[in-house]
Amino acid sequence: MAFYKKQKKPTAPPWEVGPSKEDTDNDQDRLKPPLTPPPTASFAPPGTPAAPTSTTSFSPSVKSVREKEAKKENKPRFSKPVVITISVFGVLLLLLLLAQGGTTSSAPTKDEPGAYTKWFVQQAINYYDNAPNTAAISKRQNTIDYYSSSESRNDEDQWYIFIIDGATGVLEAQAVSPHLIGTTVNAKTDIAGFTYGEALLSASATGEWVEYIDYNPQTKEGGLKHTWAVNHNGLIFGSGWYEASYKAFLLPTKKEPGAYTRMLVEEALWRYEAEGREAFIEYYSSAENIDGEWYVFVLDSDGTVLADVRNPDNVGKNIRGEIGIDNDGYDFGAEMLMATESGLWVHYESNLDNKNAWIMKHEDIFIGSAWTQTKVVT
């Protein structure tokens, strides 16, 4: 707040002051001088002949008022100390605005998830802009290190920051699933088939909303995620909030076998995140995993079967061997091990039927499920 010196009520300009009381007492019939402002100052360059002096006359009463005012107030209307105070305060306010990313407003509440998400992402951008930039560590690495650490988020809160290299699509920072750091998002799709990875990478400097179905670390299940992504100096800064469980608005049925199969694999991945590896393997080795013709199977990174409730004798065997060869001699096991975090369809024959398996890699395991398409004999 600027503190202004209280000023006296300004006196009317001298050229608007009428005759004095003494003048009116002596001669009530005297004509008042014209209320004309003084001539405007001329800012002519040096050497220019002076302009003619104005012939405007002022009455003695006006002159006396000027003399009285000059004696009464011989300093500027606004004192210099006040001007200096305002100037210093303005500079301090500007520095405060810059330090807070251009705003002095407090953070929106989480009851306004859209506004809060935008504010949360802006804080990460501000962190990057103000991070130390030294020979030992750059501001980029400083920021990546912080937003890859647990201290950057609340484990019971759905908001967290992720950072993607805008040129390569590599996930540089993310604290909720650090095992994903170093993977690419370019081909990321959700269970509805939306390629949200491309949408995130196309975010502009002013920001874009991208909506997709993803794992909610707060509820330990999938939800519709509203993500705000901003491209800042070649890095995509993003965060989001979850509207609801995807089951509340999108649940593929068995009449859509491809989508249903992908949903089961996605749910398995979320279960792994929520319960850990041991509980995950135990669940998918039990009858609870069977859903009609559907079930989830799990492979180790080298192809060893970790869970296969329909074929328990396969557990411990390697998919690269005999169990990975179909009736036509096709090595579908080797193809399954080519799956990435983005997923892969593998088609093969089993018991004279066509099998369509969806496989996703997650950390050091492969998670898969399949649906059967009856082979048409011609």
Side-chain angles (χ1 to χ4, degrees):
M1 177 183 294
F3 296 93
Y4 294 90
K5 181 178 180 181
K6 186 175 181 181
Q7 304 296 328
K8 297 179 181 178
K9 185 176 181 180
T11 307
W15 51 84
E16 293 183 1
V17 178
S20 67
K21 187 175 185 302
E22 292 80 7
D23 290 334
T24 55
D25 289 342
N26 293 335
D27 190 356
Q28 294 293 331
D29 297 326
R30 181 182 297 172
L31 294 176
K32 296 180 180 180
L35 303 182
T36 307
T40 304
S42 173
F43 297 96
T48 303
T53 305
S54 172
T55 57
T56 303
S57 61
F58 297 95
S59 68
S61 60
V62 174
K63 183 178 180 181
S64 64
V65 170
R66 276 186 163 178
E67 291 173 349
K68 290 178 182 179
E69 290 299 322
K71 292 178 181 179
K72 189 183 301 183
E73 189 69 64
N74 61 357
K75 57 185 177 180
R77 187 168 297 170
F78 296 100
S79 62
K80 290 183 179 180
V82 175
V83 174
I84 293 173
T85 302
I86 296 171
S87 177
V88 171
F89 179 77
V91 171
L92 292 175
L93 179 60
L94 178 60
L95 292 174
L96 180 62
L97 286 170
L98 292 174
Q100 297 189 359
T103 178
T104 56
S105 61
S106 58
T109 67
K110 293 175 183 177
D111 293 331
E112 305 172 278
Y116 182 84
T117 300
K118 283 188 171 184
W119 174 87
F120 192 61
V121 171
Q122 185 60 50
Q123 301 317 296
I125 293 173
N126 292 350
Y127 185 100
Y128 168 87
D129 287 340
N130 295 295
N133 193 33
T134 66
I137 185 169
S138 66
K139 65 166 54 183
R140 173 180 173 130
Q141 194 59 50
N142 255 309
T143 307
I144 287 171
D145 289 348
Y146 176 72
Y147 285 105
S148 296
S149 67
S150 58
E151 61 185 304
S152 69
R153 66 177 299 266
N154 181 346
D155 287 338
E156 298 180 357
D157 194 288
Q158 60 181 310
W159 277 275
Y160 60 90
I161 291 292
F162 62 81
I163 302 174
I164 304 169
D165 186 306
T168 63
V170 173
L171 181 66
E172 299 281 0
Q174 199 247 55
V176 67
S177 301
H179 58 273
L180 295 177
I181 294 174
T183 63
T184 58
V185 305
N186 308 58
K188 283 282 188 180
T189 60
D190 66 7
I191 63 172
F194 173 58
T195 54
Y196 66 89
E198 292 180 1
L200 291 173
L201 290 174
S202 66
S204 66
T206 55
E208 305 287 342
W209 282 110
V210 182
E211 297 179 343
Y212 51 97
I213 301 168
D214 196 20
Y215 173 76
N216 184 343
Q218 188 179 42
T219 62
K220 308 302 182 184
E221 62 180 16
L224 179 63
K225 186 171 185 178
H226 303 266
T227 292
W228 179 249
V230 180
N231 188 324
H232 185 70
N233 284 4
L235 293 175
I236 307 295
F237 289 81
S239 187
W241 58 282
Y242 298 82
E243 185 174 5
S245 166
Y246 74 93
K247 291 183 178 180
F249 58 89
L250 175 65
L251 182 61
T253 67
K254 294 177 182 179
K255 293 180 180 179
E256 306 168 280
Y260 192 80
T261 302
R262 291 187 61 162
M263 180 195 71
L264 292 178
V265 174
E266 200 78 24
E267 284 187 329
L269 188 153
W270 294 334
R271 181 179 290 274
Y272 180 94
E273 292 281 356
E275 300 180 1
R277 184 185 182 108
E278 185 176 343
F280 169 81
I281 297 297
E282 181 180 350
Y283 176 81
Y284 286 107
S285 298
S286 71
E288 293 180 78
N289 173 32
I290 299 175
D291 181 12
E293 69 173 90
W294 279 272
Y295 66 95
V296 170
F297 57 87
V298 185
L299 309 174
D300 204 344
S301 59
D302 65 356
T304 300
V305 178
L306 300 177
D308 186 343
V309 68
R310 285 289 192 187
N311 305 284
D313 290 342
N314 286 342
V315 175
K317 296 180 181 179
N318 198 294
I319 197 72
R320 293 182 185 275
E322 183 180 348
I323 63 173
I325 307 295
D326 74 0
N327 298 336
D328 291 333
Y330 172 61
D331 189 353
F332 66 87
E335 186 174 1
M336 285 184 175
L337 298 180
M338 296 173 64
T340 67
E341 289 83 359
S342 300
L344 176 70
W345 279 110
V346 178
H347 308 282
Y348 57 98
E349 187 180 283
S350 176
N351 298 326
L352 302 181
D353 288 324
N354 293 323
K355 299 285 284 187
N356 305 280
W358 177 252
I359 317 292
M360 291 184 71
K361 184 177 182 181
H362 185 68
E363 295 188 354
D364 60 346
I365 61 174
F366 293 89
I367 305 171
S369 185
W371 63 283
T372 303
Q373 186 175 17
T374 302
K375 192 172 183 179
V376 177
V377 179
T378 58

